[in-house]
Amino acid sequence: MLKKIIVHIGYMKTGTTSIQNFLLAQRDALHQRGIFYPDKPNHFDLAHLHDKRGRLRTDYSFEGATPEDARAQSRQWFDVQIAACRRAKLHTAIFSSEALPRSRPIDFAALDAELRGLATEVTYLCYVRHPWAMFESVYRQRIKTGRTTFAALQAQPDLINVSPARKLAKLVDRLGRDRFDFRVFDRDQLVGGDVVCDCLSVLGLSDLAPLATGLQDNNPSPSLEALYLSDLLTQDLPYLVNGKRNPARAPMPQMSFVKVRGRPFHPLTASIEAARPNIEDELALFRDTLGITFPERAEPISVAKFDLEAARTWDESAFRDLAHLINDMSLEISALRKDRHRPLLSPLSKPDGWQAGLRKLRTLLRR
């Protein structure tokens, strides 16, 4: 039996990808310390192991799978990982899946029971951020990933709502507060001012912290121009078609858009006003039920309407950023060659140069 299993459960928008990528990159170093980390960064499979209803949507590897198939696929992967851990005679296993907080409490408890049959101690590590910071980040994320558009938000300002405290409170009620190690995702409260360094401290691996210095931000905040690019792509290639992910759309184009420099993006004032009651409820839940308090934080800066005209006035350096990004991005587009991208720079001197460049870009982003 293992001595300990530690499950990092996010929460989303708290540096999860950075933690996962670092632990995967240091897999051999962890192994030398008696610690097992699986063979891929994000372990969505954990969330599917006991998902009886099959309503969880995690990553593309489960696209179109029935609940039975998703559980079988996850079971096969999980059993292989546990077997590898046992063969290596390691004492601790670390898993990471930010999909787990979306599980039903009964399914989460079933997973916990299985894990407790494998290890003497099972704990859950979870980073949480101020609800206003979470709201602002999710607001940008929904546009960036194509789950909503500028037009939809303008028409329905209350479209974005976040409730991590509600979800986490249900899991805590099921397992007990002592099973969870909650950490506040705030630079002033993180060890070393960095979430990876803080996580290493919690895991007793502070000696690896120097390797985390200067790591690239895996999910930087996108500019207004970057989000406008994503919005245009979504208009041509919707994220969802008939309730399912659009097979004609490359999986993660927005991750290349985020590097496009430009003006800061701010949510709508109407959205802030609509979210305020929920944010106040979330803060109370964090404080009274989960025992978590956050540093004081002002409401996000907001705008009366999205300034899309500003997003349309790019300079040549922004276009050059785009051209280089398209050359480098991996979007599952076949036979991309650099000479096919050069036309992006040539229309700049024409009156409709911006639109011509975008038309070219949108064509390239199709599968």
Side-chain angles (χ1 to χ4, degrees):
M1 178 175 279
L2 292 169
K3 179 181 177 181
K4 181 184 292 187
I5 291 178
I6 302 169
V7 185
H8 168 235
I9 62 173
Y11 204 83
M12 61 177 286
K13 313 307 297 177
T14 60
T16 299
T17 302
S18 295
I19 291 172
Q20 292 169 341
N21 288 343
F22 182 85
L23 293 177
L24 182 64
Q26 300 302 321
R27 200 167 177 238
D28 291 342
L30 296 176
H31 192 284
Q32 294 170 7
R33 291 162 174 76
I35 300 172
F36 177 80
Y37 191 79
D39 56 5
K40 60 183 179 181
N42 199 331
H43 314 135
F44 294 111
D45 306 78
L46 287 184
H48 290 279
L49 277 177
H50 297 276
D51 177 28
K52 300 297 191 296
R53 298 188 302 175
R55 293 184 182 177
L56 280 176
R57 295 293 178 264
T58 55
D59 70 340
Y60 279 93
S61 62
F62 296 97
E63 190 70 40
T66 65
E68 294 77 15
D69 289 342
R71 288 198 299 273
Q73 180 179 329
S74 299
R75 172 58 58 192
Q76 182 180 25
W77 175 85
F78 182 73
D79 289 349
V80 166
Q81 305 308 311
I82 292 298
C85 183
R86 285 172 168 164
R87 280 197 307 272
K89 298 181 179 180
L90 305 178
H91 56 72
T92 298
I94 300 173
F95 294 93
S96 179
S97 174
E98 66 179 16
L100 280 170
R102 305 205 306 267
S103 302
R104 294 188 305 166
I106 189 172
D107 296 337
F108 192 95
L111 171 65
D112 179 67
E114 178 173 356
L115 296 179
R116 284 188 289 113
L118 298 171
T120 303
E121 179 183 350
V122 179
T123 60
Y124 299 93
L125 172 62
C126 184
Y127 286 87
V128 293
R129 65 191 303 182
H130 194 289
W132 274 127
M134 175 69 77
F135 170 82
E136 195 170 13
S137 184
V138 170
Y139 201 94
R140 291 190 296 260
Q141 180 88 352
R142 295 287 172 82
I143 302 172
K144 184 179 78 172
T145 57
R147 287 172 172 82
T148 191
T149 62
F150 284 121
L153 288 167
Q154 201 84 56
Q156 190 178 350
D158 61 351
L159 197 59
I160 306 298
N161 209 347
V162 294
S163 53
R166 286 182 179 83
K167 293 182 175 69
L168 293 171
K170 292 178 181 178
L171 303 183
V172 166
D173 184 61
R174 190 83 183 194
L175 300 187
R177 176 64 175 81
D178 61 316
R179 302 291 308 284
F180 295 82
D181 184 0
F182 288 111
R183 310 281 294 180
V184 174
F185 184 76
D186 181 88
R187 186 178 297 276
D188 293 337
Q189 298 197 28
L190 296 172
V191 174
D194 175 82
V195 70
V196 175
C197 292
D198 190 89
C199 181
L200 292 173
S201 174
V202 172
L203 298 175
L205 299 169
S206 294
D207 59 311
L208 294 179
L211 299 175
T213 303
L215 288 179
Q216 180 180 353
D217 186 353
N218 288 285
N219 203 359
S221 297
S223 64
L224 175 63
E225 285 84 348
L227 291 178
Y228 189 63
L229 268 178
S230 292
D231 191 74
L232 286 170
L233 172 63
T234 301
Q235 291 177 37
D236 276 1
L237 295 168
Y239 177 79
L240 297 176
V241 175
N242 297 325
K244 297 182 179 180
R245 287 188 178 122
N246 186 353
R249 177 176 166 131
M252 296 288 280
Q254 70 279 355
M255 296 312 292
S256 292
F257 292 159
V258 296
K259 301 174 185 176
V260 175
R261 294 170 293 180
R263 300 161 182 80
F265 169 81
H266 302 297
L268 294 173
T269 302
S271 296
I272 297 295
E273 293 172 350
R276 190 176 294 117
N278 177 66
I279 297 296
E280 292 172 352
D281 290 345
E282 283 284 294
L283 284 168
L285 265 177
F286 272 121
R287 181 187 63 246
D288 301 335
T289 303
L290 301 177
I292 301 169
T293 56
F294 297 95
E296 289 294 324
R297 183 185 180 92
E299 292 184 1
I301 298 172
S302 61
V303 294
K305 67 176 183 177
F306 297 122
D307 188 5
L308 301 186
E309 288 303 319
R312 295 187 181 104
T313 55
W314 291 8
D315 59 17
E316 184 171 348
S317 65
F319 259 98
R320 291 191 181 280
D321 283 351
L322 266 180
H324 289 302
L325 286 171
I326 295 170
N327 288 343
D328 296 338
M329 67 173 69
S330 54
L331 291 173
E332 299 185 11
I333 303 171
S334 61
L336 277 181
R337 302 191 312 277
K338 289 189 178 182
D339 60 343
R340 291 180 59 190
H341 301 245
R342 288 176 187 156
L344 270 176
L345 297 180
S346 60
L348 285 174
S349 59
K350 300 178 181 179
D352 67 340
W354 188 87
Q355 290 88 344
L358 262 295
R359 284 196 295 271
K360 179 68 175 177
L361 174 63
R362 287 146 74 183
T363 299
L364 288 171
L365 288 175
R366 292 180 182 276
R367 279 193 172 187

